[in-house]
Amino acid sequence: MELISLGINEVLSGGVIWAVIIGALIGVTIGSIPGLEPAGVMAILLPLTFSMEPLFGVTLLLGVYGGAWYGGAIPAILMNTPGTPVAVLTTYDGYPMAKRGEGKKALSIAYTSSFFGGIISVLSLVFFAPVLSQVATLFGSAEFAMLALLGMVFVVLAHNEYAIEAAAMIGLGMFLGTIGIDRSYSTQVYTLDQSFLLAGVPLVPAVIGLFAMSQAYILLSTKSGDSFKTKLEGSGHFSGFVVLLRNKVTAIRSAILGVLMGLLPGVGEFGSQFFSYTLAQKFSKKPDEFGNGAEAGIVASETSNNAVTASVLIPLLAFGIPADALMAMLLSVFMVHNYIPGPRLFTEHPEFISGLYVSLFIMNIFVFVYLTFASKYIVNITRIRGRFIGALIFVLGFLGAYSQNYQITDALIALFFSVIGYIMKRNNIPAVPIILGLVLGPVFLDRMRQALGVSNGNFEIFVDRPIAFTLLMLTMLSITVFVFSKVRKKAVA
């Protein structure tokens, strides 16, 4: 109760509640617009958060992040077009329900399921993050090196059919992470004698270019008549709770899967949603209804992807390891304010941690209530033309990259990455591994160097230390299982 009281006081006294509300409203709006991803908007807002109080900036970004997953269900159900990439499976059963005049009921199920998953996710963060942060006290250089390696391997394997492309991109990200001054020898590495590269490739312009400005190109290239008109029909606007109780086993299973998948780098919402939907269909008494308007299908999809939103923070807060590109953005906010993730963060800044918990609870409650009563107005957002949004994003992205350090070179770096990101999107090459390679690559290389320095170059340090050895074995096992499944699948085909 003391922790909760401290968090409530921090949220109310610092005006953080406004960051939660504003971020959530932006997120819901972004999720409601097909083709516009939360990563791009978060990238644009990222430079602004550096001048804010730490909790204010973090909750603003988390509001966008969490609100977008709620809002993505609106176009998925009413237009058969996912507002966010993770709402794809929601279209399978949401749109058929809308076609038969049950749009309001489908949205109510989606909102209620998202709320349930979101609350479970926050509870998992409250209980597991402090425990795992204590585990982090047992980690040395060897353990952190293996943890970073495991994270990068998970990112690659999570892309499944595009694993080779993901491996190449994470390698590119690791290479970009080596650019700058090598502190061990005080020498320049791949700077090409350019002073603006001495500090390395800046994360913020790279993120803005890859996720925001590249998406702007996509929107700018859409046809002129790309706006939609949607109708919200039917009754049962408050029937979501009844449906959730009727499918409580599916909801609980999907929430647990979402929490567990959030802990794994690179897996997140996509993996949890796929497994939850598959299991819901497998254990259903009426599996043929899935894909034709099954209530349990919406429950599984929306519960699982929202159960990730807070649990994905656990590896970031406990170990300082971002599970995806969005968490890498949050990590940059932490580092700017000298809030180092790990055990010390929980002991030195308890008001920040408790405020973060309370903010996430408030965000889920606010978004649920807001969407329940405002959906009939929000659907009009789909009439905004993609070209207008694309032009706005491009300008804001360029300004956001420049405003970080007020250097034109940062804006040019963002422009460079925007072209790369556009090419990758057009060729279905994943961009997330580049950012995680840029973040985790230096961690892996630096910790590997430190560990080998302690052991005088003896690689047995990664075998002699139990935790490091366990992480190494998990890495090898993951690669082995992935390769075996691919070979087996090819043999069957």
Side-chain angles (χ1 to χ4, degrees):
M1 293 303 297
E2 183 180 352
L3 185 67
I4 295 174
S5 177
L6 180 63
I8 293 174
N9 181 66
E10 187 71 15
V11 170
L12 296 179
S13 63
V16 176
I17 190 170
W18 292 110
V20 176
I21 293 174
I22 293 171
L25 290 174
I26 294 174
V28 169
T29 303
I30 298 308
S32 303
I33 302 176
L36 192 56
E37 298 182 14
V41 178
M42 287 177 66
I44 293 173
L45 293 174
L46 187 58
L48 300 177
T49 61
F50 292 157
S51 59
M52 300 176 181
E53 289 295 320
L55 184 58
F56 198 98
V58 168
T59 51
L60 177 66
L61 294 179
L62 286 176
V64 176
Y65 175 58
W69 294 157
Y70 276 87
I74 296 175
I77 291 172
L78 300 182
M79 299 164 51
N80 200 28
T81 304
T84 56
V86 297
V88 172
L89 291 182
T90 304
T91 63
Y92 288 12
D93 298 287
Y95 186 63
M97 288 186 67
K99 284 179 64 177
R100 60 179 185 239
E102 297 179 314
K104 288 184 178 180
K105 181 179 180 180
L107 284 177
S108 179
I109 297 171
Y111 299 157
T112 308
S113 302
S114 297
F115 178 73
F116 177 75
I119 293 298
I120 295 297
S121 186
V122 178
L123 290 174
S124 72
L125 175 66
V126 172
F127 290 110
F128 294 144
V131 175
L132 289 179
S133 71
Q134 294 304 310
V135 175
T137 60
L138 305 174
F139 278 47
S141 298
E143 286 76 15
F144 276 111
M146 291 301 97
L147 183 61
L149 177 63
L150 179 63
M152 290 187 289
V153 168
F154 271 140
V155 170
V156 172
L157 301 185
H159 285 86
N160 200 8
E161 299 298 329
Y162 298 97
I164 296 177
E165 292 88 342
M169 292 304 102
I170 209 163
L172 175 59
M174 291 180 67
F175 166 73
L176 294 174
T178 64
I179 295 175
I181 296 290
D182 187 332
R183 296 179 181 178
S184 300
Y185 301 99
S186 297
T187 57
Q188 296 186 32
V189 180
Y190 303 120
T191 60
L192 304 177
D193 291 326
Q194 299 297 318
S195 59
F196 68 90
L197 289 177
L198 292 177
V201 176
L203 176 64
V204 175
V207 170
I208 290 176
L210 279 174
F211 294 101
M213 296 173 69
S214 64
Q215 187 63 31
Y217 293 145
I218 301 290
L219 293 171
L220 286 170
S221 63
T222 55
K223 297 179 181 180
S224 57
D226 62 335
S227 61
F228 299 89
K229 292 184 179 180
T230 57
K231 294 181 180 180
L232 189 58
E233 299 176 332
S235 57
H237 206 49
F238 299 95
S239 60
F241 284 107
V242 177
V243 174
L244 190 71
L245 289 174
R246 195 158 53 228
N247 296 275
K248 55 182 176 294
V249 175
T250 298
I252 294 172
R253 181 178 58 239
S254 300
I256 293 174
L257 276 172
V259 169
L260 294 177
M261 293 294 179
L263 301 176
L264 304 178
V267 180
E269 296 88 356
F270 292 101
S272 66
Q273 193 180 55
F274 173 78
F275 284 116
S276 298
Y277 190 88
T278 302
L279 290 176
Q281 185 176 21
K282 182 178 180 180
F283 291 107
S284 175
K285 296 180 180 178
K286 300 178 180 178
D288 295 337
E289 290 185 359
F290 281 73
N292 297 300
E295 296 174 348
I298 301 178
V299 171
S301 173
E302 289 298 311
T303 301
S304 59
N305 63 40
N306 279 272
V308 175
T309 53
S311 67
V312 75
L313 281 166
I314 296 175
L316 177 66
L317 294 177
F319 302 105
I321 300 294
D324 56 28
L326 303 180
M327 294 304 105
M329 296 185 208
L330 286 182
L331 179 60
S332 65
V333 179
F334 281 80
M335 303 308 286
V336 164
H337 295 285
N338 199 31
Y339 277 42
I340 310 301
R344 293 179 59 184
L345 181 63
F346 288 82
T347 56
E348 294 179 357
H349 301 285
E351 74 288 345
F352 174 83
I353 295 297
S354 56
L356 185 62
Y357 296 158
V358 173
S359 297
L360 290 171
F361 277 116
I362 293 175
M363 185 272 292
N364 279 280
I365 295 171
F366 171 77
V367 174
F368 174 72
V369 174
Y370 172 69
L371 284 177
T372 299
F373 293 98
S375 291
K376 61 181 179 180
Y377 306 108
I378 298 173
V379 295
N380 293 319
I381 295 175
T382 58
R383 301 184 180 184
I384 302 176
R385 296 187 181 277
R387 289 186 176 183
F388 172 78
I389 299 172
L392 181 63
I393 289 175
F394 188 84
V395 173
L396 291 177
F398 202 83
L399 291 175
Y402 172 77
S403 64
Q404 183 192 5
N405 296 309
Y406 297 102
Q407 294 181 355
I408 192 63
T409 51
D410 284 350
L412 294 177
I413 289 173
L415 188 62
F416 170 77
F417 276 101
S418 71
V419 176
I420 300 298
Y422 176 74
I423 295 172
M424 293 172 67
K425 285 177 186 281
R426 284 301 188 190
N427 292 277
N428 294 321
I429 300 174
V432 171
I434 293 183
I435 298 301
L436 292 182
L438 184 60
V439 174
L440 295 180
V443 174
F444 171 70
L445 295 174
D446 291 343
R447 295 291 189 170
M448 176 73 77
R449 183 181 297 168
Q450 292 173 8
L452 292 176
V454 171
S455 65
N456 294 318
N458 190 346
F459 281 89
E460 289 183 1
I461 189 174
F462 301 108
V463 178
D464 295 337
R465 298 174 68 92
I467 297 179
F469 179 71
T470 302
L471 294 172
L472 178 61
M473 287 299 99
L474 282 174
T475 302
M476 300 303 296
L477 179 63
S478 300
I479 296 174
T480 302
V481 171
F482 179 80
V483 173
F484 177 76
S485 64
K486 287 296 180 183
V487 172
R488 184 180 178 183
K489 184 177 179 181
K490 189 174 182 180
V492 173

